[in-house]
Amino acid sequence: MDADTLSPDPTPQSTGTPPTGTTPALVDLPARDVLAVDGRGAPEDPSFAAAVSALFATRLALGADQDVPLEGTYSQSGSLSCADGQPFDLASPDGWVWRLLVPAPPRASEASVAAEVASSGAPVQLRRQAGQRVARLLHRGPYSAEGPSLEALSAFVAGQGLVATGPHTEIYLDDPGSTPPADLRTLLQVPVAPVR
């Protein structure tokens, strides 16, 4: 599979051209179970790194046998349940509210996640993520330089006669610990619906 068409879920049905460079596309994502941790603050905060570790440790303990990308949904409005309509301020991460997640292993259940959380103390939750239509594009480069890509995504959404229905999500296709910032690839996406 070409790296530009990597997806966080192997089964989405694309209704447009797969994202390459900064070319946005509309994608229908199916419902799925995810492991999630909610938090607040900058990604440099120790709680963010602890959440990442907890997600992957829980996934491994539940029998996951493949590597998956980390996903993060970010808001500055204080809520992850709605779009605030304001441009996302990459320079003010201390006020961010975030949800980090990874796909749950196929056999994960409320009971198995609860048992793992009880033994590890990790604040991981099993959640059902509803199917949704998203607009997405592939950003190449440092996370701090996502501004123009987020603006292009927003313009694409408006140009399609759509509106964002929630905050944006970033899907990290590369490990920032081993990939130079200029080579990082991040799928940026936002849930959308027709303007009412």
Side-chain angles (χ1 to χ4, degrees):
M1 175 182 287
D2 181 11
D4 285 350
T5 61
L6 289 175
S7 167
D9 188 307
T11 60
Q13 301 298 310
S14 175
T15 59
T17 305
T20 58
T22 57
T23 302
L26 293 175
V27 179
D28 292 319
L29 300 177
R32 63 184 177 151
D33 291 328
V34 297
L35 301 175
V37 176
D38 291 348
R40 177 179 297 270
E44 294 77 22
D45 189 272
S47 65
F48 191 93
V52 173
S53 294
L55 284 170
F56 284 102
T58 301
R59 192 170 190 283
L60 182 62
L62 293 173
D65 59 358
Q66 62 180 350
D67 201 12
V68 295
L70 175 70
E71 302 177 34
T73 299
Y74 302 92
S75 174
Q76 289 172 308
S77 68
S79 171
L80 291 170
S81 62
C82 63
D84 62 13
Q86 300 297 316
F88 191 72
D89 186 357
L90 292 165
S92 299
D94 292 334
W96 293 357
V97 175
W98 44 260
R99 174 171 294 144
L100 301 180
L101 63 87
V102 292
R107 294 172 296 285
S109 66
E110 293 282 347
S112 64
V113 172
E116 180 55 33
V117 167
S119 68
S120 70
V124 177
Q125 299 177 348
L126 179 66
R127 294 178 181 251
R128 182 71 174 165
Q129 191 175 62
Q132 60 184 340
R133 172 166 275 196
V134 301
R136 70 162 47 156
L137 64 75
L138 181 68
H139 169 77
R140 292 181 181 271
Y143 306 135
S144 61
E146 289 176 354
S149 294
L150 288 170
E151 290 171 9
L153 190 58
S154 179
F156 172 76
V157 168
Q160 296 293 308
L162 302 170
V163 63
T165 60
H168 84 281
T169 296
E170 302 182 5
I171 303 165
Y172 307 106
L173 303 179
D174 299 299
D175 178 355
S178 60
T179 305
D183 295 335
L184 290 170
R185 296 168 303 139
T186 308
L187 277 177
L188 302 177
Q189 68 185 32
V190 63
V192 295
V195 175
R196 293 183 189 185

